Amino acid sequence: MTEVLHRRGWIKGVAASMAGLWLAACDKINDSPGVQKTLLKAEGLNRRVHRALIDRKALAREFTAADISKDFKANGSISPGDKAYREHLTAGFADYRLKIDGLVDHPMELTLAEIRALPSRSQITRHDCVEGWSSIGKWTGARLGPLLDKVGLQREARYLVFHCFDTLGEAMDGSNQYYESIDLIDAYHPQTILAYRMNDAVLPVAHGAPLRLRVERQLGYKQAKYIARIEAVSDFKSIGGGNGGFWEDRGYEWYAGI
């Protein structure tokens, strides 16, 4: 527990300072090779220690209905203005298709009805944000593991990249398109789901409708919202900034285990 708390404190400290720097447009510091090199060394050390001490296949704690937070904060994008997303929202996601491709044997495009018919799981878990707040909510969604078995991962696949509809910031070159990634250990974890319901209601827009990732052993910024596509890859060097996620490209850790 001491290690976990220490690690969370380190994550919060680094994340808070990096977010503050980014928001303050201190890009010169953010882009400094020396700063990035130091952060990467620290991340690697924390990841190795964390994996050595904590079983990544263990379940995250689950709570009771009485524990559900009355006010679950919506964070990050809460109402994407992206054209494709607004069109899907206006149409009630009738034409939405989740694309699954990359290093798979059977690429698929699934409707929401088809996703809701997949093996599912409901869980009441605590969401821990890198900003320091936590909330408890009930999530229901398709288990990712059986879906991956259905599409058939190829031998070279090591990660899943979640491409999202939303953008953060004002860049027009696609660099601000939100994305996240996890490895196959977390992808096959029994609590990893593509959530389409929250607290027994249809997943709200502010919380990622129509689909968001729930990977309960990691911090909140790994729970990608507004998922448009899942891509199986061997690495993510050519995606975004090459660090595995929108926030990771801005200095956050790729592995945010708790």
Side-chain angles (χ1 to χ4, degrees), residues 28-257:
K28 290 184 179 179
I29 297 177
N30 255 346
D31 293 340
S32 165
V35 170
Q36 294 297 326
K37 187 176 181 180
T38 300
L39 288 173
L40 287 173
K41 284 184 177 179
E43 177 191 354
L45 175 61
N46 273 288
R47 190 189 311 171
R48 288 192 293 274
V49 171
H50 190 265
R51 287 180 173 176
L53 297 178
I54 300 176
D55 181 4
R56 289 189 57 197
K57 296 180 181 178
L59 297 180
R61 180 183 175 185
E62 297 194 15
F63 297 80
T64 70
D67 299 314
I68 294 175
S69 300
K70 294 181 179 178
D71 182 18
F72 196 120
K73 182 179 179 180
N75 209 20
S77 295
I78 58 174
S79 183
D82 305 77
K83 183 175 182 295
Y85 183 80
R86 301 311 298 187
E87 290 175 351
H88 280 304
L89 179 61
T90 299
F93 299 105
D95 298 323
Y96 171 83
R97 300 290 185 277
L98 172 65
K99 179 182 291 186
I100 307 175
D101 61 4
L103 298 174
V104 301
D105 292 328
H106 310 290
M108 292 185 177
E109 292 190 9
L110 300 172
T111 66
L112 281 179
E114 290 171 329
I115 293 167
R116 289 168 181 151
L118 294 170
S120 64
R121 193 179 199 279
S122 292
Q123 55 207 27
I124 300 175
T125 54
R126 190 183 66 207
H127 179 105
D128 294 316
C129 179
V130 72
E131 295 172 351
W133 56 267
S134 297
S135 292
I136 294 173
K138 181 178 180 180
W139 307 95
T140 298
R143 291 178 53 208
L144 189 53
L147 178 55
L148 295 177
D149 289 339
K150 198 177 181 70
V151 299
L153 291 176
Q154 296 178 4
R155 182 180 301 177
E156 297 81 6
R158 294 183 60 202
Y159 304 96
L160 299 181
V161 177
F162 299 83
H163 299 276
C164 303
F165 282 109
D166 58 322
T167 56
L168 289 175
E170 299 179 352
M172 302 300 290
D173 61 356
S175 62
N176 280 10
Q177 194 79 31
Y178 203 91
Y179 77 104
E180 255 303 341
S181 64
I182 59 175
D183 63 17
L184 298 187
I185 296 175
D186 277 318
Y188 275 97
H189 190 284
Q191 291 174 313
T192 299
I193 61 175
L194 300 176
Y196 44 73
R197 294 180 67 81
M198 177 185 182
N199 295 339
D200 295 322
V202 174
L203 184 66
V205 169
H207 287 281
L211 284 180
R212 74 172 299 171
L213 175 67
R214 292 300 308 177
V215 51
E216 304 292 359
R217 295 297 308 274
Q218 298 213 36
L219 290 171
Y221 68 86
K222 301 295 291 188
Q223 329 283 334
K225 302 194 291 186
Y226 316 111
I227 298 172
R229 174 188 171 208
I230 301 174
E231 179 185 13
V233 299
S234 59
D235 62 61
F236 27 72
K237 294 178 181 176
S238 62
I239 301 172
N243 298 296
F246 176 88
W247 287 112
E248 289 88 330
D249 288 340
R250 290 155 178 81
Y252 280 36
E253 285 190 86
W254 173 77
Y255 183 66

